[in-house]
Amino acid sequence: MFWVNATNTARFEASYNVIAETIELPGREDPKSNVMQLVRNWLCNRDSGNWILILDNLDDVNMDFLRQNDAASDISNS
């Protein structure tokens, strides 16, 4: 189970960084990598197993920071 604070961009990104650390995601420590995209790819991969993602304080799925990371379409389609 992963808990993501979606109050604002900084907290959303911090939550994704925690997920990357928790699952020891390869590439997370590379300063050139996009951790948001790495986590998204991992979550979308069937080989990652079963998980639950809780988006806390997400009042508007049309928030700019969600659109920038393609997360809004993932949330809307789930």
Side-chain angles (χ1 to χ4, degrees):
M1 180 182 320
F2 302 109
W3 178 79
V4 175
N5 185 330
T7 304
N8 57 42
T9 304
R11 291 185 179 190
F12 192 90
E13 289 179 359
S15 295
Y16 265 53
N17 283 320
V18 169
I19 292 171
E21 287 296 321
T22 300
I23 62 175
E24 299 178 352
L25 193 59
R28 71 188 180 281
E29 295 172 344
D30 181 351
K32 295 177 185 176
S33 69
N34 180 338
V35 174
M36 299 283 289
Q37 189 65 44
L38 290 174
V39 171
R40 180 185 180 276
N41 291 345
W42 185 87
L43 293 170
C44 291
N45 187 338
R46 290 186 187 266
D47 293 336
S48 298
N50 296 323
W51 47 265
I52 295 173
L53 183 69
I54 297 171
L55 298 173
D56 193 12
N57 292 315
L58 179 64
D59 297 326
D60 182 5
V61 294
N62 295 314
M63 296 174 89
D64 288 338
F65 71 91
L66 289 175
R67 290 183 180 278
Q68 292 170 1
N69 295 297
D70 290 331
S73 61
D74 293 341
I75 294 165
S76 300
N77 293 324
S78 41

